[in-house]
Amino acid sequence: MADTVFVLNGPNLNLLGLREPEIYGSDTLDDIAGRLEDQGRELGLQIDMRQSNHEGHLIDWLHEANALPAKAVILNSGAFTHTSIALYDAIKAIKVPVIEVHLSNPHTRESFRHKSFVGMAAKGTVAGFGALSYTLALDAAAKL
Ligand code: DQA
């Protein structure tokens, strides 16, 4: 299944569209998933989009992506980005490339968002473009 891209979303991203729209925009996660599926069809890639509020689920899904193997993982780990050594270790432990994604640009926000454990292990990062960050990340995944 080398043509599958996992798109993993962490805590509070199920509330996209309702949650601080001035920061995160008005698109829901389903809106983003629909667009990625259209884009995936054009690129010949299958999209497996998931969301969980639980850190361990994200880690299990990274392992699953590696076992398949998936072509790439696009990961918006929400606030776990800034706290999770376990996510850092999981990304380091697998061979599948992980692209870190954020809707907002954490570097222009509170200082506690300036550190990214995920970014320290990821292949690359796309941040600050709203829902377009996911589109740009999928284009990058297709070219890996
Ligand atoms: C986010 C940025 C994080 O700092 C925040 O905790 C989120 C969303 C983003 O997509 O901009 O939950 O990952």
Side-chain angles (χ1 to χ4, degrees):
M1 291 284 278
D3 60 350
T4 298
V5 174
F6 277 34
V7 185
L8 305 182
N9 297 279
N12 302 307
L13 291 166
N14 54 311
L15 298 179
L16 269 192
L18 299 172
R19 175 192 182 200
E20 298 182 276
E22 65 288 358
I23 296 175
Y24 299 117
S26 53
D27 286 326
T28 66
L29 208 54
D30 280 348
D31 294 333
I32 293 173
R35 258 182 260 135
L36 289 179
E37 272 157 27
D38 291 345
Q39 186 187 353
R41 257 188 299 279
E42 283 170 24
L43 293 167
L45 296 170
Q46 202 177 310
I47 305 302
D48 191 331
M49 179 96 166
R50 305 180 188 185
Q51 189 276 331
S52 175
N53 294 320
H54 304 276
E55 188 177 9
H57 290 163
L58 297 174
I59 291 165
D60 288 345
W61 292 340
L62 286 166
H63 296 176
E64 187 184 330
N66 195 50
L68 276 178
K71 181 173 174 59
V73 175
I74 293 170
L75 174 61
N76 185 349
S77 43
F80 293 147
T81 304
H82 317 297
T83 61
S84 179
I85 297 168
L87 276 175
Y88 171 91
D89 282 348
I91 296 166
K92 284 289 200 186
I94 65 174
K95 292 200 170 69
V96 174
V98 175
I99 302 174
E100 178 189 25
V101 159
H102 300 286
L103 296 140
S104 65
N105 179 354
H107 293 287
T108 63
R109 301 180 62 196
E110 303 95 326
S111 58
F112 59 80
R113 296 184 204 275
H114 294 178
K115 178 162 188 155
S116 170
F117 287 102
V118 166
M120 288 163 70
K123 176 98 181 150
T125 299
V126 185
F129 299 100
L132 181 61
S133 292
Y134 285 80
T135 305
L136 297 170
L138 185 54
D139 269 340
K143 293 192 170 83
L144 289 176

